[in-house]
Amino acid sequence: MKLEGKAKMLRIHFGEDDKWKGKPLYRAIVEKCRELDIAGATVFRGIEGYGASTLIHRSHILALSSDLPIMVSVIDSEDKVQKLIPHLDEMVDQGLVAMSEVEVIKYVHQNGVRS
């Protein structure tokens, strides 16, 4: 089955060292998305970047922790994405949340068969 249509995409940017209730923030966000039955969430680790602090975060061979940039991409209908935003307000202490409209083609597995 193939579904198409308009959807919203959230991109949540923060540092790899950020936590929520003792666990990595990216994991907490993905778990919240699953709990809210959001269609998809993917975590990306950047190799270099900076945010509001203008401090550049990059990987260093000798560093124990480099606080690399993380982006979580979330896609679903506008109403489901809107349900996530109040949770992000609580969870993301420092970061950037950007929302955009996207056109989606969604492939859905049905009874274990790929379409």
Side-chain angles (χ1 to χ4, degrees):
M1 177 168 38
K2 182 172 149 182
L3 304 174
E4 297 181 31
K6 294 197 182 303
K8 291 290 183 182
M9 178 170 54
L10 279 182
R11 289 184 179 146
I12 308 139
H13 301 262
F14 51 92
E16 186 174 27
D17 288 346
D18 292 0
K19 305 271 188 244
W20 172 251
K21 295 186 176 180
K23 69 172 69 170
L25 179 57
Y26 59 86
R27 182 168 296 140
I29 291 171
V30 169
E31 289 172 0
K32 180 55 71 176
C33 289
R34 180 125 189 222
E35 178 185 315
L36 294 173
D37 196 34
I38 287 176
T42 303
V43 178
F44 298 92
R45 178 188 286 151
I47 57 172
E48 184 169 276
Y50 71 92
S53 71
T54 69
L55 176 66
I56 294 178
H57 300 272
R58 63 175 61 115
S59 180
H60 295 286
I61 293 171
L62 300 176
L64 296 175
S65 173
S66 55
D67 194 25
L68 292 172
I70 296 289
M71 182 186 73
V72 181
S73 178
V74 177
I75 300 176
D76 207 326
S77 64
E78 182 171 8
D79 60 320
K80 284 197 174 183
V81 168
Q82 288 293 341
K83 289 178 184 175
L84 176 63
I85 291 174
H87 299 283
L88 295 176
D89 288 343
E90 289 181 37
M91 299 167 86
V92 179
D93 185 39
Q94 289 188 359
L96 172 71
V97 179
M99 184 172 5
S100 57
E101 190 168 308
V102 293
E103 190 72 26
V104 175
I105 299 172
K106 178 180 176 185
Y107 295 91
V108 180
H109 295 272
Q110 206 170 31
N111 299 325
V113 178
R114 285 175 101 135
S115 300

